[in-house]
Amino acid sequence: MIRLEAVTFAYEPAHPVLERLDFHLAEGERVVLNGANGAGKTTVLHLMVGLVRPGSGRIVAFGRERRSEADFVEVRAQAGLLFQDADDQLFCPTVAEDVAFGPLNQGKSRAEARAIVHETLAALGLEELEQRVTHKLSGGQRRLVSLAAVLAMRPRALLLDEPTNALDEATRERLLAILDSLPLAMVVVSHDGEVRERLATRQVRLVNGRLE
Amino acid sequence: MSVIPAARARGSALDAARAGEGRALVARLDPRSRVLLAVAFTGAVVLAESLSALSIALGVAIGLALLARLPWRLTLRRLLALEGFMLVVLALLPFTVPGRILAEPLGFGLSAEGLRQAAQIALRANAVAVALAALLGSLEVVALGRALARLGAPSRLVHLFLFTVRYIGVLEQEYGRLRLAMRARAFRPGPGLHCWTSLGHLFGMLLVRSLERAERIDAAMRCRGFTGRFHLLDDHGPERPGALDLGVGAASTAALLLVVGLGL
Ligand SMILES: Nc1ncnc2c1ncn2[C@@H]1O[C@H](COP(=O)(O)OP(=O)(O)OP(=O)(O)O)[C@@H](O)[C@H]1O
Ligand SMILES: [Mg+2]
């Protein structure tokens, strides 16, 4: 579905982050990606949806090579990215509005968007949060609502950046059960052993800008 | 520095006011009516010149506050903050505005015009502050944003407003964290260069973090298909004004016409 070919990337020329990195996410696969802090895991996810652009190499996603911002608009609708910090992800005042943001951008009508909001929140067991104000949610609730916001766009793949970070035992369990039940391809950045056991169909490690 | 604790105080005041929002007349008004009423009232007060008109305006504002069942203790505390701010200006005006001298304490001339202007400003500011507290203070900010949007305010402004509301708290937390980090390492404000450079770092850091957060939010928005057009998911509440709204609208229009007609 998503393929990185010989991708090189650096925020600053003196410190390359990725060097000729190859990666392929196939249909139905759940890849757990780990590596030391600062190894470039978040960067890999951001490259896949075009939030940063490679210095060299190709990004092929959903059957086409992607280069421009316009190319990536389409990719982002199909590959949902869950950010490392949920506060960045929930920018609308209320939960309902936040979850509806993606569908409305995809051209759904308000009624359709509202139906999607109900459905998605119900699927995650978050109905009672619908009218809540986002900045008054707890950390775990924010993470789950962020996931709902991503799922509301009906993506074909999920890119999750440390999804279980700072969650308590019960919420983590719930999140893992939800993720396990989703029939989507995933790339999960995580240091969490349980995530690896429960979800991974394949594991890769990022070292010195390459995967092993 | 006092800006941020003040923001928190305001947040809790709003919360408290919201809790008191039961069957109060003002609370039953459509948010749009409240916005329009607030704008009309403020406009009238700003234009009114005579002291008697301004006194009536203050009376009306207090009446509104009673109708809104504002928690008076909190409202007074907020007003006090405003009063403290104005006191300096008001105390100086009678001595600095030229005009007919009424008295000359300690050799400084106290002018009638200055006194009049000071009274005008005090009445105006308080009337507007009380009326806004009554009409908008008890309104959930999100509802206020929607009301503005449905009244046709530019969508960029409305979203700017909503984003500000959303992220003031986050910035405040960030500020709190940075302050805590400083205190955890035994920083105490005091005289001397060290204090000022540290505070400089604190605010510089706050600025950098805000910018970075703005970039991340932009990224998050683009990830969800944002291409520059905002859509609002909202049509809760009646689309058309209710009888109450029409009644209040008619009454206040009549009152305004009366004021203008009598040339107050
Ligand atoms: N905006 C930026 N500007 C400059 N350098 C950056 C920026 N973002 C990240 N870096 C650098 O790029 C490298 C990779 O960062 P990245 O965030 O991808 O790491 P990560 O593997 O996700 O780390 P972590 O496990 O801590 O989340 C790091 O060395 C970091 O210092
Ligand atoms: Mg990271």
Side-chain angles (χ1 to χ4, degrees):
Chain A
M1 301 176 100
I2 304 179
R3 183 193 297 280
L4 305 182
E5 291 172 4
V7 165
T8 300
F9 179 82
Y11 289 100
E12 290 143 21
H15 304 281
V17 179
L18 305 176
E19 289 193 73
R20 298 191 61 77
L21 172 134
D22 293 301
F23 177 76
H24 180 220
L25 175 72
E27 198 95 37
E29 216 183 7
R30 294 181 190 153
V31 183
V32 168
L33 171 63
N34 51 35
N37 288 127
K41 305 177 295 293
T42 299
T43 308
V44 170
L45 297 191
H46 286 198
L47 273 166
M48 288 182 183
V49 293
L51 292 177
V52 291
R53 298 295 154 74
S56 68
R58 284 170 17 111
I59 299 175
V60 182
F62 305 103
R64 278 213 301 125
E65 183 179 356
R66 309 286 173 167
R67 286 176 176 282
S68 64
E69 177 71 16
D71 290 340
F72 279 109
V73 169
E74 211 178 290
V75 176
R76 290 178 199 138
Q78 302 190 52
L81 172 62
L82 190 73
F83 280 67
Q84 206 164 346
D85 182 352
D87 252 328
D88 299 332
Q89 194 133 24
L90 301 177
F91 41 81
C92 296
T94 67
V95 170
E97 279 164 320
D98 211 283
V99 176
F101 184 81
L104 286 175
N105 285 330
Q106 289 176 320
K108 299 273 194 298
S109 74
R110 288 180 192 188
E112 286 170 325
R114 189 159 303 115
I116 292 175
V117 170
H118 282 309
E119 203 180 302
T120 313
L121 289 177
L124 302 187
L126 301 171
E127 300 96 326
E128 72 276 20
L129 297 183
E130 188 176 326
Q131 290 309 324
R132 292 278 295 277
V133 176
T134 45
H135 65 266
K136 291 183 184 165
L137 298 175
S138 78
Q141 287 171 331
R142 270 179 226 188
R143 185 55 58 79
L144 291 173
V145 171
S146 310
L147 181 64
V150 170
L151 290 177
M153 295 184 69
R154 305 278 184 259
R156 291 167 57 195
L158 284 181
L159 312 175
L160 311 170
D161 202 346
E162 312 209 10
T164 57
N165 237 8
L167 295 187
D168 70 19
E169 206 56 45
T171 317
R172 194 174 65 146
E173 192 51 44
R174 190 157 153 215
L175 182 70
L176 284 178
I178 291 169
L179 291 178
D180 196 25
S181 70
L182 293 171
L184 302 174
M186 292 178 199
V187 180
V188 189
V189 171
S190 185
H191 304 287
D192 186 336
E194 210 185 322
V195 172
R196 227 172 310 155
E197 269 165 43
R198 292 277 298 272
L199 298 177
T201 60
R202 179 156 72 96
Q203 218 191 116
V204 288
R205 202 175 159 71
L206 189 57
V207 184
N208 296 329
R210 314 191 64 150
L211 292 174
E212 47 181 56
Chain B
M1 227 196 302
S2 65
V3 175
I4 289 159
R8 183 189 303 142
R10 208 175 315 125
S12 58
L14 282 173
D15 288 342
R18 215 174 298 139
E21 182 176 315
R23 298 258 56 85
L25 177 69
V26 172
R28 276 184 286 150
L29 275 180
D30 187 296
R32 285 172 293 179
S33 312
R34 291 159 73 170
V35 171
L36 287 180
L37 217 54
V39 170
F41 184 85
T42 309
V45 169
V46 168
L47 289 178
E49 284 291 333
S50 84
L51 288 181
S52 50
L54 287 172
S55 311
I56 293 174
L58 184 59
V60 170
I62 292 173
L64 280 173
L66 290 177
L67 282 178
R69 295 197 210 136
L70 281 192
W72 59 271
R73 200 185 286 268
L74 253 170
T75 313
L76 278 185
R77 199 172 335 136
R78 278 197 265 173
L79 273 181
L80 227 53
L82 174 71
E83 249 56 82
F85 175 72
M86 290 197 313
L87 204 64
V88 184
V89 183
L90 293 187
L92 284 178
L93 261 181
F95 298 100
T96 48
V97 173
R100 193 163 53 84
I101 303 297
L102 290 182
E104 265 185 86
L106 303 174
F108 295 105
L110 185 83
S111 75
E113 279 74 12
L115 214 53
R116 202 186 129 79
Q117 275 188 23
Q120 257 180 3
I121 291 176
L123 283 173
R124 247 188 216 141
N126 282 299
V128 170
V130 172
L132 287 186
L135 289 170
L136 304 180
S138 58
L139 199 59
E140 171 91 51
V141 259
V142 179
L144 181 55
R146 284 185 185 143
L148 288 173
R150 284 156 75 186
L151 284 172
S155 97
R156 271 163 209 256
L157 279 187
V158 173
H159 279 89
L160 200 60
F161 175 71
L162 291 176
F163 273 74
T164 309
V165 170
R166 168 69 181 86
Y167 282 101
I168 273 185
V170 173
L171 279 184
E172 188 193 337
Q173 278 169 16
E174 217 129 62
Y175 168 83
R177 273 202 294 273
L178 289 171
R179 272 311 296 267
L180 205 67
M182 289 170 86
R183 257 190 296 154
R185 284 186 277 154
F187 172 79
R188 287 174 62 208
L193 192 62
H194 172 66
C195 171
W196 289 108
T197 39
S198 308
L199 286 179
H201 289 161
L202 170 66
F203 283 100
M205 204 59 200
L206 204 58
L207 195 69
V208 170
R209 287 203 188 182
S210 312
L211 278 175
E212 283 182 348
R213 188 173 289 280
E215 268 166 22
R216 291 200 302 270
I217 295 164
D218 175 60
M221 291 176 72
R222 283 191 286 143
C223 274
R224 289 207 268 145
F226 179 72
T227 48
R229 253 189 64 81
F230 282 108
H231 309 267
L232 275 180
L233 174 78
D234 122 76
D235 33 43
H236 294 295
E239 269 303 322
R240 304 180 48 75
L244 184 66
D245 296 300
L246 291 175
V248 170
S252 42
T253 311
L256 267 184
L257 285 178
L258 208 66
V259 169
V260 173
L262 290 179
L264 276 175

